[in-house]
């Protein structure tokens, strides 16, 4: 094997050590990779040249790329983090808006929207 960068060699050692830890954790039966295991392998795959993936990782390169895509998609998925609309309106502002609506009945109900 030709000389490789130190980073790739260190990443290869980390990948093999992590695979060893996973196999020790599940001594009997089929191997199941937890999300943390998948994350480690996907992250380390970026440090190792792709031509060495088949020799180092316990899964195919397509699986590694699929895991990486899922992690990236989850990172940029903001649907669960934010609700619709803006932040809730404070109670003091709600009371003020309702008081203004009562004191100015000629404004009509269409002009004043009661905040959430």
């Amino acid at each position: 094997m030709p000389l490789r960068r130190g980073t790739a060699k260190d990443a290869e050692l980390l990948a093999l050590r992590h695979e060893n830890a996973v196999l020790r954790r599940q001594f009997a039966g089929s191997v199941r990779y937890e999300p943390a295991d998948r994350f480690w392998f996907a992250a380390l795959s970026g440090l190792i040249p792709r031509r060495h993936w088949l020799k180092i990782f316990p899964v195919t390169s397509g699986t590694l790329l699929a895991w990486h895509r899922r992690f990236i998609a989850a990172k940029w998925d903001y649907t669960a983090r934010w609700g619709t609309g803006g932040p809730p309106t404070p109670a003091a502002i709600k009371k003020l808006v309702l008081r203004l609506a009562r004191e100015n009945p000629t404004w009509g109900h269409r002009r004043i929207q009661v905040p959430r």
Side-chain angles (χ1 to χ4, degrees):
M1 210 183 283
L3 292 175
R4 287 183 289 171
R5 295 186 342 241
T7 306
K9 196 178 289 187
D10 292 342
E12 180 180 336
L13 285 173
L14 283 172
L16 293 173
R17 285 179 183 168
H18 190 73
E19 179 186 6
N20 196 4
V22 169
L23 293 174
R24 273 196 210 130
R25 189 174 59 218
Q26 300 171 6
F27 194 60
S30 63
V31 178
R32 291 188 194 99
Y33 295 107
E34 297 174 0
D37 303 325
R38 294 176 186 159
F39 178 80
W40 265 104
F41 288 134
L44 290 173
S45 68
L47 300 173
I48 299 172
R50 195 173 289 195
R51 64 182 180 272
H52 298 295
W53 283 8
L54 287 175
K55 293 183 265 181
I56 296 168
F57 293 109
V59 294
T60 64
S61 57
T63 303
L64 280 172
L65 292 172
W67 289 348
H68 188 267
R69 274 194 304 273
R70 273 192 221 124
F71 287 121
I72 295 300
K75 179 184 184 331
W76 293 104
D77 181 22
Y78 294 111
T79 56
R81 296 181 191 177
W82 301 101
T84 58
T89 307
I93 293 179
K94 285 183 189 180
K95 288 170 81 175
L96 177 64
V97 168
L98 292 174
R99 192 186 98 213
L100 286 171
R102 274 194 310 275
E103 292 174 0
N104 300 292
T106 58
W107 282 359
H109 70 284
R110 295 244 184 245
R111 289 197 179 203
I112 297 180
Q113 298 294 320
V114 178
R116 297 184 269 143

